[in-house]
Amino acid sequence: MEEIPGNCLIAQSGGPTSAINASLAGVIGALRKSGKVGTIYGAVNGIQGVLSRDIRDLDSLLGKSPESLETLKISPAMYLGSCRYKLEPPETAINQLIPEYERIDDYTCIFNILNEYGIRCFFYIGGNDSMDTVKKLGMYGASIESPIRFVGIPKTIDNDLPVTDHTPGYGSAARYIATSLLEMAYDTSIYHTKSVLVVEIMGRNAGWLTAASALARTEFSDAPHLIYLPERNFSDTQFLNDLREKMKDRDHIIIAVSEGIHYQDGTYVSTAGAVKDQFGHVQLSGAGNYLAKLIHKKVGCKVRAVELNVLQRCAAHLSSLTDLNESCRLGEVAAEAALEGKSRVMSCIARKEDGNGEYGVEYGLVDVDEVANKERKVPDSWINEAGNDVTEDFIRYARPLIQGEPVISYKDGLPVYLSVRHLGV
């Protein structure tokens, strides 16, 4: 293994999850164990924290005790904060690197700061757009022959990153969704009146989270009764026909819908008042409310809409131990890759089942170019022919990811998580 003199920097970006801090703990733990690096720094609020020099010594911030890393693993959200900041294409900055050019671009600023702190390994934990940042920094670094390694670590509850079998954060979010749907099924069962509950779940273009609602089904509850993903075009008419058919056999109907369900022309079911984020993505909300109003008008029964929203990604008390352990290991793999001199790669998971169908995984690396700005959707073969449910193949894929319960300490009735006071809270 190549010894890299110098320091390391870790940052987090994009939307939070219940498992992203487990990856952070994995990186820190592996770097400490290696004994081959100097100071391990953390940038507060992603690449913006680098640009603003909000860089902290993680040994001082966290302490060096194993217990602090264990608590970090089970703490929700992002210990280092986040950002949604898109770097310009590196070609633009590269072409501007002439002595007389007065403007200091992001790349020049970032590399000046990294060099000032003696950084030789930079780790970015995030999703599609974060891997784009790793790609761009790696490209720029290569163009100026920088010795700094850039390594990505995957995370997103959306589970839409290509190449890796699944993404850290998804298993815990899927577990929360399935648990919530099961509990809602209990709640709706107590009345002898016709009713419909529409549950809106995150997912713009990929329906992995909404599909996870099917994991709520047990031998005594078959809710949700209808599931609609953005991978299939939505039709109000067909939706109402599906609902009326289900109501012939039962009084209480629970429907799971992705926030990004859309009509054949690409129009989202609900885009009223929609705004765009920094990456140009429409911020969606309201599909469940729209469908509830449609049901009230066309069917006339009792109806309610529930939007799970941020609860899907911050409910650490329902984290999957499988998810946390895999997330931590992906952080360790990333650290090992950087110490071996690898750059512009992302740690990833490959599924490996034994002859008895028992779940297992192998860890590896993938060129970050294969992940950045790319999106993986639920396979069409995992959606039923009618487009209102998922198949057993999806259930077999997803069920292992929600297994196991982490040990969480409680104080005064509340779970004990690490303080995020350093984020200005």
Side-chain angles (χ1 to χ4, degrees):
M1 180 180 289
E2 177 187 356
E3 184 170 344
I4 301 178
N7 305 321
C8 298
L9 179 63
I10 313 169
Q12 299 170 310
S13 181
T17 81
S18 294
I20 188 171
N21 285 333
S23 291
L24 175 60
V27 180
I28 296 171
L31 292 175
R32 287 177 177 174
K33 185 178 179 180
S34 75
K36 295 182 179 294
V37 300
T39 304
I40 304 171
Y41 291 106
V44 175
N45 299 129
I47 201 66
Q48 285 184 310
V50 179
L51 288 164
S52 65
R53 297 174 181 270
D54 195 351
I55 296 173
R56 315 291 181 90
D57 180 335
L58 289 180
D59 283 350
S60 298
L61 191 62
L62 270 170
K64 292 188 176 182
S65 71
E67 291 77 17
S68 65
L69 285 187
E70 289 302 314
T71 305
L72 177 61
K73 287 179 185 178
I74 56 91
S75 294
M78 299 158 95
Y79 182 72
L80 293 175
S82 184
C83 72
R84 294 188 181 277
Y85 188 85
K86 195 172 186 68
L87 293 172
E88 64 184 359
E91 296 84 358
T92 304
I94 292 169
N95 292 336
Q96 293 171 351
L97 284 179
I98 52 179
E100 63 270 26
Y101 199 80
E102 296 180 356
R103 172 175 168 267
I104 298 179
D105 60 86
D106 281 347
Y107 292 91
T108 302
C109 184
I110 289 169
F111 276 79
N112 283 345
I113 293 171
L114 295 180
N115 288 326
E116 177 185 328
Y117 279 83
I119 304 301
R120 290 297 175 266
C121 303
F122 179 88
F123 302 93
Y124 214 27
I125 312 174
N128 314 69
D129 294 315
S130 301
M131 294 309 109
D132 179 62
T133 298
V134 174
K135 172 184 175 180
K136 289 174 177 176
L137 290 174
M139 290 174 61
Y140 184 86
S143 74
I144 61 173
E145 299 182 348
S146 169
I148 304 173
R149 279 79 168 173
F150 295 91
V151 179
I153 304 167
K155 71 88 212 173
T156 175
I157 64 171
D158 295 319
N159 199 41
D160 60 352
L161 297 188
V163 185
T164 189
D165 178 79
H166 53 278
T167 310
Y170 175 67
S172 295
R175 181 175 184 160
Y176 175 82
I177 290 166
T179 301
S180 297
L181 266 291
L182 177 60
E183 292 171 344
M184 290 180 198
Y186 271 82
D187 186 86
T188 60
S189 67
I190 63 175
Y191 298 108
H192 290 292
T193 56
K194 289 284 186 181
S195 69
V196 178
L197 178 65
V198 183
V199 183
E200 181 180 333
I201 299 169
M202 285 180 174
R204 178 185 307 276
N205 300 317
W208 295 100
L209 286 170
T210 305
S213 64
L215 298 173
R217 293 168 180 158
T218 66
E219 65 273 13
F220 50 82
S221 173
D222 56 356
H225 307 101
L226 295 167
I227 300 174
Y228 296 93
L229 312 183
E231 281 80 0
R232 293 285 183 89
N233 293 325
F234 189 81
S235 162
D236 286 1
T237 300
Q238 186 58 53
F239 168 73
L240 291 171
N241 289 340
D242 293 344
L243 175 59
R244 291 185 176 109
E245 188 64 28
K246 290 290 183 182
M247 295 184 79
K248 291 178 181 178
D249 302 322
R250 51 180 52 82
D251 289 334
H252 314 294
I253 307 294
I254 296 180
I255 305 170
V257 300
S258 292
E259 64 181 355
I261 54 173
H262 55 82
Y263 301 113
Q264 188 170 359
D265 65 359
T267 303
Y268 290 112
V269 168
S270 179
T271 55
V275 296
K276 294 183 179 181
D277 63 17
Q278 293 92 327
F279 296 103
H281 305 318
V282 175
Q283 296 178 333
L284 304 177
S285 179
N289 282 326
Y290 169 79
L291 294 179
K293 292 176 182 177
L294 181 68
I295 293 167
H296 179 75
K297 180 179 179 180
K298 298 293 186 179
V299 180
C301 65
K302 178 182 177 182
V303 60
R304 177 177 294 168
V306 173
E307 184 180 348
L308 296 185
N309 209 302
V310 297
L311 295 170
Q312 296 154 101
R313 66 191 196 191
C314 67
H317 64 289
L318 275 175
S319 294
S320 153
L321 183 59
T322 296
D323 191 21
L324 296 183
N325 288 341
E326 291 179 348
S327 299
C328 184
R329 182 58 189 144
L330 283 167
E332 295 170 348
V333 170
E336 293 162 4
L339 293 173
E340 291 170 356
K342 295 182 173 62
S343 187
R344 282 178 63 186
V345 294
M346 183 192 82
S347 53
C348 65
I349 294 174
R351 186 172 299 223
K352 182 182 179 182
E353 296 179 347
D354 63 20
N356 298 318
E358 290 295 319
Y359 171 77
V361 298
E362 292 180 336
Y363 299 90
L365 300 170
V366 61
D367 190 323
V368 76
D369 293 19
E370 296 183 36
V371 182
N373 296 316
K374 293 181 172 66
E375 189 175 50
R376 180 186 64 159
K377 298 184 179 182
V378 177
D380 191 68
S381 61
W382 288 2
I383 305 172
N384 71 345
E385 186 175 351
N388 58 18
D389 206 340
V390 295
T391 68
E392 191 59 34
D393 285 338
F394 171 80
I395 300 295
R396 284 192 291 269
Y397 164 83
R399 194 173 295 285
L401 309 184
I402 69 171
Q403 303 302 312
E405 296 76 39
V407 176
I408 299 176
S409 298
Y410 286 80
K411 181 180 179 181
D412 296 329
L414 297 176
V416 176
Y417 301 136
L418 283 187
S419 168
V420 288
R421 192 169 296 165
H422 57 282
L423 300 180
V425 177

